[in-house]
Coordinates of all heavy atoms in Angstrom, one line a residue:
T37 N 11.3 53.0 -22.6 CA 11.6 54.4 -22.0 C 11.9 55.3 -23.2 O 12.7 55.1 -24.1 CB 12.9 54.3 -21.2 OG1 12.6 53.3 -20.1 CG2 13.1 55.7 -20.5
T38 N 11.1 56.5 -23.2 CA 11.1 57.4 -24.3 C 11.5 58.8 -23.8 O 11.0 59.3 -22.8 CB 9.8 57.5 -24.9 OG1 9.4 56.2 -25.4 CG2 9.8 58.4 -26.2
F39 N 12.4 59.5 -24.6 CA 12.7 60.9 -24.4 C 12.5 61.6 -25.7 O 12.9 61.1 -26.8 CB 14.2 61.1 -24.0 CG 14.5 60.4 -22.6 CD1 15.0 59.1 -22.6 CD2 14.3 61.1 -21.4 CE1 15.3 58.5 -21.3 CE2 14.6 60.5 -20.2 CZ 15.0 59.2 -20.2
Q40 N 11.8 62.7 -25.7 CA 11.5 63.4 -27.0 C 11.3 64.9 -26.9 O 10.8 65.3 -25.8 CB 10.3 62.7 -27.7 CG 9.0 62.9 -26.9 CD 8.2 64.1 -27.4 OE1 8.6 64.8 -28.3 NE2 7.1 64.4 -26.6
Q41 N 11.8 65.6 -27.9 CA 11.4 67.0 -28.1 C 11.1 67.1 -29.6 O 12.0 67.6 -30.3 CB 12.6 67.9 -27.7 CG 12.9 67.9 -26.2 CD 11.8 68.6 -25.4 OE1 11.1 69.4 -25.9 NE2 11.6 68.2 -24.1
W42 N 10.0 66.6 -29.9 CA 9.7 66.4 -31.4 C 9.1 67.7 -32.0 O 8.0 68.1 -31.5 CB 8.7 65.2 -31.5 CG 8.5 64.8 -33.0 CD1 7.6 65.3 -33.9 CD2 9.4 64.0 -33.7 NE1 7.7 64.7 -35.1 CE2 8.8 63.9 -35.1 CE3 10.5 63.2 -33.4 CZ2 9.4 63.1 -36.0 CZ3 11.1 62.5 -34.4 CH2 10.5 62.4 -35.7
E167 N 19.3 65.8 -30.7 CA 18.4 64.6 -30.5 C 16.9 65.1 -30.4 O 16.7 66.0 -29.6 CB 18.8 63.9 -29.3 CG 20.0 63.0 -29.4 CD 20.2 62.2 -28.1 OE1 19.3 62.1 -27.3 OE2 21.3 61.6 -28.0
I168 N 16.0 64.6 -31.1 CA 14.6 64.9 -30.9 C 13.8 63.7 -30.5 O 12.7 63.9 -30.1 CB 14.0 65.6 -32.2 CG1 14.2 64.6 -33.4 CG2 14.7 66.9 -32.5 CD1 13.5 65.1 -34.7
Y169 N 14.4 62.5 -30.6 CA 13.7 61.3 -30.1 C 14.7 60.3 -29.8 O 15.7 60.0 -30.6 CB 12.8 60.8 -31.2 CG 11.9 59.7 -30.8 CD1 10.8 59.9 -30.0 CD2 12.1 58.4 -31.2 CE1 9.9 58.9 -29.6 CE2 11.3 57.3 -30.8 CZ 10.2 57.6 -30.0 OH 9.4 56.6 -29.6
R170 N 14.6 59.7 -28.6 CA 15.4 58.6 -28.2 C 14.5 57.6 -27.4 O 13.9 58.0 -26.5 CB 16.6 59.0 -27.3 CG 17.5 57.8 -26.9 CD 18.6 58.3 -25.9 NE 19.6 59.0 -26.6 CZ 20.7 58.5 -27.1 NH1 20.9 57.2 -27.0 NH2 21.6 59.2 -27.7
D196 N 2.5 54.7 -29.6 CA 2.1 56.0 -29.1 C 3.1 57.1 -29.4 O 3.3 58.1 -28.7 CB 1.8 56.0 -27.6 CG 0.7 55.0 -27.2 OD1 -0.2 54.8 -28.0 OD2 0.9 54.4 -26.1
P198 N 4.9 60.4 -30.8 CA 6.2 60.4 -30.1 C 6.1 60.3 -28.6 O 7.1 60.1 -27.9 CB 6.8 61.8 -30.4 CG 5.6 62.7 -30.6 CD 4.5 61.8 -31.2
G199 N 4.9 60.3 -28.0 CA 4.8 60.0 -26.6 C 5.2 61.2 -25.7 O 5.5 62.3 -26.2
L200 N 5.3 60.9 -24.4 CA 5.7 61.9 -23.4 C 7.2 61.8 -23.2 O 7.8 60.7 -23.2 CB 4.9 61.7 -22.1 CG 3.4 61.8 -22.2 CD1 2.8 61.5 -20.8 CD2 3.0 63.1 -22.7
N201 N 7.8 62.9 -22.9 CA 9.2 62.9 -22.6 C 9.5 62.3 -21.2 O 8.9 62.7 -20.2 CB 9.7 64.4 -22.6 CG 11.2 64.5 -22.5 OD1 11.9 63.7 -23.1 ND2 11.6 65.4 -21.6
G202 N 10.5 61.5 -21.2 CA 10.9 60.9 -19.9 C 10.0 59.8 -19.4 O 10.0 59.5 -18.2
K203 N 9.2 59.2 -20.2 CA 8.2 58.3 -19.8 C 8.7 56.8 -19.9 O 9.3 56.5 -21.0 CB 6.9 58.4 -20.6 CG 5.7 57.4 -20.1 CD 4.5 57.7 -20.9 CE 3.4 56.7 -20.4 NZ 2.1 56.9 -21.2
T204 N 8.4 56.0 -19.0 CA 8.7 54.6 -19.0 C 7.4 53.8 -18.9 O 6.6 54.1 -18.0 CB 9.7 54.1 -17.9 OG1 10.9 54.8 -18.0 CG2 9.9 52.6 -17.9

Side-chain angles (χ1 to χ4, degrees):
T37 303
T38 305
F39 298 92
Q40 65 91 9
Q41 293 292 332
W42 191 265
E167 288 186 10
I168 57 174
Y169 188 76
R170 178 184 288 269
D196 300 327
L200 299 177
N201 184 45
K203 181 178 181 180
T204 296

